[in-house]
PDB file of all heavy atoms in Angstrom:
ATOM      1  N   ASN A  38      -1.894 -10.943  55.213  1.00 93.00           N
ATOM      2  CA  ASN A  38      -2.718  -9.770  54.928  1.00 93.00           C
ATOM      3  C   ASN A  38      -3.531 -10.005  53.652  1.00 93.00           C
ATOM      4  O   ASN A  38      -3.000  -9.962  52.540  1.00 93.00           O
ATOM      5  CB  ASN A  38      -1.822  -8.542  54.789  1.00 93.00           C
ATOM      6  CG  ASN A  38      -2.639  -7.270  54.544  1.00 93.00           C
ATOM      7  OD1 ASN A  38      -3.857  -7.278  54.599  1.00 93.00           O
ATOM      8  ND2 ASN A  38      -1.941  -6.177  54.264  1.00 93.00           N
ATOM      9  N   ALA A  39      -4.810 -10.221  53.783  1.00 92.00           N
ATOM     10  CA  ALA A  39      -5.701 -10.515  52.631  1.00 92.00           C
ATOM     11  C   ALA A  39      -5.759  -9.344  51.650  1.00 92.00           C
ATOM     12  O   ALA A  39      -6.010  -9.549  50.467  1.00 92.00           O
ATOM     13  CB  ALA A  39      -7.081 -10.864  53.119  1.00 92.00           C
ATOM     14  N   ASP A  40      -5.498  -8.108  52.123  1.00 93.00           N
ATOM     15  CA  ASP A  40      -5.615  -6.932  51.266  1.00 93.00           C
ATOM     16  C   ASP A  40      -4.529  -6.903  50.184  1.00 93.00           C
ATOM     17  O   ASP A  40      -4.706  -6.232  49.159  1.00 93.00           O
ATOM     18  CB  ASP A  40      -5.551  -5.653  52.097  1.00 93.00           C
ATOM     19  CG  ASP A  40      -6.766  -5.486  53.002  1.00 93.00           C
ATOM     20  OD1 ASP A  40      -7.824  -6.060  52.686  1.00 93.00           O
ATOM     21  OD2 ASP A  40      -6.656  -4.799  54.034  1.00 93.00           O
ATOM     22  N   VAL A  41      -3.396  -7.551  50.421  1.00 94.00           N
ATOM     23  CA  VAL A  41      -2.319  -7.538  49.415  1.00 94.00           C
ATOM     24  C   VAL A  41      -2.109  -8.914  48.795  1.00 94.00           C
ATOM     25  O   VAL A  41      -1.194  -9.085  48.002  1.00 94.00           O
ATOM     26  CB  VAL A  41      -0.992  -7.037  50.036  1.00 94.00           C
ATOM     27  CG1 VAL A  41      -1.134  -5.610  50.559  1.00 94.00           C
ATOM     28  CG2 VAL A  41      -0.517  -7.983  51.140  1.00 94.00           C
ATOM     29  N   SER A  42      -2.952  -9.861  49.161  1.00 92.00           N
ATOM     30  CA  SER A  42      -2.799 -11.218  48.662  1.00 92.00           C
ATOM     31  C   SER A  42      -2.837 -11.270  47.136  1.00 92.00           C
ATOM     32  O   SER A  42      -3.701 -10.664  46.500  1.00 92.00           O
ATOM     33  CB  SER A  42      -3.913 -12.118  49.218  1.00 92.00           C
ATOM     34  OG  SER A  42      -3.802 -13.435  48.743  1.00 92.00           O
ATOM     35  N   GLY A  43      -1.860 -11.971  46.543  1.00 91.00           N
ATOM     36  CA  GLY A  43      -1.791 -12.100  45.092  1.00 91.00           C
ATOM     37  C   GLY A  43      -0.965 -11.051  44.399  1.00 91.00           C
ATOM     38  O   GLY A  43      -0.646 -11.193  43.234  1.00 91.00           O
ATOM     39  N   SER A  44      -0.608  -9.983  45.107  1.00 95.00           N
ATOM     40  CA  SER A  44       0.204  -8.929  44.512  1.00 95.00           C
ATOM     41  C   SER A  44       1.672  -9.363  44.430  1.00 95.00           C
ATOM     42  O   SER A  44       2.081 -10.353  45.046  1.00 95.00           O
ATOM     43  CB  SER A  44       0.093  -7.643  45.348  1.00 95.00           C
ATOM     44  OG  SER A  44       0.650  -7.846  46.640  1.00 95.00           O
ATOM     45  N   ALA A  45       2.464  -8.609  43.692  1.00 95.00           N
ATOM     46  CA  ALA A  45       3.891  -8.923  43.539  1.00 95.00           C
ATOM     47  C   ALA A  45       4.593  -8.904  44.889  1.00 95.00           C
ATOM     48  O   ALA A  45       5.405  -9.766  45.214  1.00 95.00           O
ATOM     49  CB  ALA A  45       4.544  -7.953  42.568  1.00 95.00           C
ATOM     50  N   ARG A  46       4.290  -7.903  45.716  1.00 95.00           N
ATOM     51  CA  ARG A  46       4.957  -7.809  47.026  1.00 95.00           C
ATOM     52  C   ARG A  46       4.547  -8.954  47.929  1.00 95.00           C
ATOM     53  O   ARG A  46       5.347  -9.452  48.722  1.00 95.00           O
ATOM     54  CB  ARG A  46       4.673  -6.450  47.659  1.00 95.00           C
ATOM     55  CG  ARG A  46       3.207  -6.132  47.803  1.00 95.00           C
ATOM     56  CD  ARG A  46       2.944  -4.737  48.339  1.00 95.00           C
ATOM     57  NE  ARG A  46       1.593  -4.307  47.993  1.00 95.00           N
ATOM     58  CZ  ARG A  46       1.005  -3.237  48.510  1.00 95.00           C
ATOM     59  NH1 ARG A  46       1.662  -2.486  49.389  1.00 95.00           N
ATOM     60  NH2 ARG A  46      -0.204  -2.918  48.181  1.00 95.00           N
ATOM     61  N   TRP A  47       3.286  -9.377  47.796  1.00 96.00           N
ATOM     62  CA  TRP A  47       2.832 -10.518  48.579  1.00 96.00           C
ATOM     63  C   TRP A  47       3.599 -11.773  48.193  1.00 96.00           C
ATOM     64  O   TRP A  47       4.013 -12.552  49.044  1.00 96.00           O
ATOM     65  CB  TRP A  47       1.341 -10.720  48.365  1.00 96.00           C
ATOM     66  CG  TRP A  47       0.740 -11.839  49.167  1.00 96.00           C
ATOM     67  CD1 TRP A  47       0.373 -11.800  50.476  1.00 96.00           C
ATOM     68  CD2 TRP A  47       0.453 -13.176  48.710  1.00 96.00           C
ATOM     69  NE1 TRP A  47      -0.133 -13.040  50.881  1.00 96.00           N
ATOM     70  CE2 TRP A  47      -0.090 -13.892  49.817  1.00 96.00           C
ATOM     71  CE3 TRP A  47       0.611 -13.819  47.506  1.00 96.00           C
ATOM     72  CZ2 TRP A  47      -0.482 -15.224  49.699  1.00 96.00           C
ATOM     73  CZ3 TRP A  47       0.198 -15.133  47.389  1.00 96.00           C
ATOM     74  CH2 TRP A  47      -0.333 -15.825  48.484  1.00 96.00           C
ATOM     75  N   TRP A  48       3.827 -11.953  46.897  1.00 97.00           N
ATOM     76  CA  TRP A  48       4.571 -13.129  46.436  1.00 97.00           C
ATOM     77  C   TRP A  48       6.030 -13.082  46.913  1.00 97.00           C
ATOM     78  O   TRP A  48       6.632 -14.114  47.225  1.00 97.00           O
ATOM     79  CB  TRP A  48       4.532 -13.225  44.910  1.00 97.00           C
ATOM     80  CG  TRP A  48       3.341 -14.007  44.417  1.00 97.00           C
ATOM     81  CD1 TRP A  48       2.202 -13.514  43.854  1.00 97.00           C
ATOM     82  CD2 TRP A  48       3.166 -15.424  44.491  1.00 97.00           C
ATOM     83  NE1 TRP A  48       1.341 -14.528  43.553  1.00 97.00           N
ATOM     84  CE2 TRP A  48       1.893 -15.710  43.930  1.00 97.00           C
ATOM     85  CE3 TRP A  48       3.955 -16.469  44.963  1.00 97.00           C
ATOM     86  CZ2 TRP A  48       1.396 -17.009  43.852  1.00 97.00           C
ATOM     87  CZ3 TRP A  48       3.447 -17.773  44.863  1.00 97.00           C
ATOM     88  CH2 TRP A  48       2.196 -18.027  44.310  1.00 97.00           C
ATOM     89  N   VAL A  49       6.598 -11.887  47.006  1.00 97.00           N
ATOM     90  CA  VAL A  49       7.942 -11.762  47.565  1.00 97.00           C
ATOM     91  C   VAL A  49       7.940 -12.213  49.017  1.00 97.00           C
ATOM     92  O   VAL A  49       8.819 -12.973  49.466  1.00 97.00           O
ATOM     93  CB  VAL A  49       8.476 -10.308  47.450  1.00 97.00           C
ATOM     94  CG1 VAL A  49       9.774 -10.146  48.220  1.00 97.00           C
ATOM     95  CG2 VAL A  49       8.669  -9.932  45.987  1.00 97.00           C
ATOM     96  N   ALA A  50       6.950 -11.752  49.758  1.00 97.00           N
ATOM     97  CA  ALA A  50       6.840 -12.137  51.174  1.00 97.00           C
ATOM     98  C   ALA A  50       6.644 -13.653  51.316  1.00 97.00           C
ATOM     99  O   ALA A  50       7.239 -14.285  52.188  1.00 97.00           O
ATOM    100  CB  ALA A  50       5.699 -11.376  51.828  1.00 97.00           C
ATOM    101  N   VAL A  51       5.799 -14.224  50.468  1.00 96.00           N
ATOM    102  CA  VAL A  51       5.554 -15.661  50.503  1.00 96.00           C
ATOM    103  C   VAL A  51       6.839 -16.419  50.178  1.00 96.00           C
ATOM    104  O   VAL A  51       7.168 -17.431  50.816  1.00 96.00           O
ATOM    105  CB  VAL A  51       4.437 -16.057  49.503  1.00 96.00           C
ATOM    106  CG1 VAL A  51       4.393 -17.579  49.321  1.00 96.00           C
ATOM    107  CG2 VAL A  51       3.100 -15.546  49.991  1.00 96.00           C
TER     108      VAL A  51
END
Side-chain angles (χ1 to χ4, degrees):
N38 182 7
D40 292 336
V41 299
S42 180
S44 65
R46 55 185 160 168
W47 182 80
W48 272 104
V49 171
V51 168

